[in-house]
C-alpha cells in the first residue's frame, strides 16, 4: 500500500472538520428540543407529543458523543500518519518498508551466524586452534626471556 502523507492527513483533517459541524448541529437540535413547549395546548395529547420530542434528546446526545469520538479518532489518525517514516519524500510505501525490514532481518541473522562462528575456536592454517598453537610456540622456545625461565610449563632442556 502506498500512502501519500499530505493527502492522507488532508482527508483525515477534512473528515474531522465535517464531524465538528455535525456535532454543532446535534447540539443545536438538543437545545431546540430541550426548550420545546406547545404554547396554548394542554392535555394528554400535547403532553405525549412533547414527551416524544424530548425523548429524542438522549438519542441526540448519543449521536453527538459518537461524532465526538469519531472526530478524535480522525485527529489521532492524522497525527499518526504525519509521524509515519517515509520510504521516499512525502510517501510511505508499505511494500518497500516490508522489503527493508526483511533485508534488515537477513543482515541481523547473517551477523549472528558470523558471531557464532567467530566465538568458536577456529583452527588456523595448520589445523591447530589459535590459542593452543600460541602456547605450543611459547613452550618450544627454550630461551624466550627472563620472564619465562620460572614458568612451570616452559620446556626445559634435557639435563
Amino acid at each position: 500500500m502506498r500512502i501519500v502523507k499530505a493527502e492522507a492527513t488532508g482527508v483525515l483533517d477534512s473528515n474531522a472538520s465535517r464531524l465538528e459541524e455535525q456535532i454543532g448541529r446535534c447540539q443545536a437540535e438538543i437545545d431546540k428540543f430541550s426548550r420545546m413547549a406547545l404554547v396554548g395546548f394542554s392535555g394528554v395529547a400535547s403532553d405525549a407529543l412533547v414527551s416524544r420530542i424530548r425523548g429524542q434528546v438522549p438519542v441526540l446526545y448519543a449521536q453527538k458523543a459518537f461524532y465526538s469520538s469519531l472526530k478524535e479518532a480522525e485527529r489521532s489518525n492524522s497525527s499518526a500518519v504525519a509521524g509515519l517514516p517515509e520510504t521516499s519524500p512525502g510517501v510511505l510505501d508499505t511494500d518497500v518498508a516490508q522489503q527493508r525490514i526483511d533485508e534488515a532481518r537477513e543482515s541481523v541473522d547473517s551477523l549472528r551466524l558470523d558471531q557464532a562462528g567467530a566465538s568458536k575456536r577456529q583452527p588456523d592454517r595448520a589445523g591447530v586452534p589459535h590459542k593452543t598453537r600460541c602456547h605450543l610456540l611459547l613452550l618450544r622456545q627454550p630461551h624466550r626471556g627472563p620472564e619465562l625461565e620460572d614458568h612451570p610449563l616452559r620446556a626445559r632442556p634435557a639435563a
Side-chain angles (χ1 to χ4, degrees):
M1 174 173 42
R2 184 177 160 91
I3 300 170
V4 178
K5 290 173 59 171
E7 290 177 20
T9 55
V11 167
L12 292 166
D13 290 339
S14 174
N15 289 347
S17 295
R18 281 191 236 133
L19 287 164
E20 187 65 45
E21 292 170 10
Q22 283 298 110
I23 292 168
R25 288 186 195 120
C26 284
Q27 187 60 51
E29 291 295 311
I30 289 168
D31 294 342
K32 182 171 64 175
F33 285 179
S34 296
R35 291 188 313 252
M36 181 170 230
L38 294 176
V39 179
F41 293 95
S42 63
V44 176
S46 66
D47 290 345
L49 182 59
V50 169
S51 177
R52 172 96 178 181
I53 291 171
R54 287 190 181 153
Q56 297 302 310
V57 172
V59 173
L60 289 168
Y61 274 117
Q63 192 172 10
K64 179 183 171 187
F66 171 73
Y67 287 148
S68 294
S69 174
L70 199 55
K71 179 192 79 169
E72 293 307 313
E74 292 290 273
R75 296 245 190 257
S76 175
N77 288 341
S78 178
S79 296
V81 167
L84 289 173
E86 299 174 353
T87 55
S88 59
V91 176
L92 168 63
D93 189 330
T94 57
D95 294 335
V96 171
Q98 186 61 51
Q99 180 183 1
R100 289 180 184 171
I101 290 169
D102 293 342
E103 289 171 358
R105 284 186 179 143
E106 288 174 10
S107 294
V108 168
D109 291 343
S110 175
L111 289 172
R112 283 186 181 146
L113 287 173
D114 290 348
Q115 183 183 20
S119 66
K120 295 179 183 175
R121 288 187 177 179
Q122 297 293 326
D124 64 3
R125 286 180 228 122
V128 178
H130 180 70
K131 186 174 181 181
T132 305
R133 186 166 185 263
C134 289
H135 285 292
L136 289 174
L137 287 174
L138 284 174
L139 294 175
R140 287 185 192 156
Q141 309 251 340
H143 300 291
R144 184 79 177 156
E147 69 277 356
L148 293 179
E149 288 187 22
D150 295 330
H151 195 278
L153 295 178
R154 184 179 157 277
R156 309 227 185 256

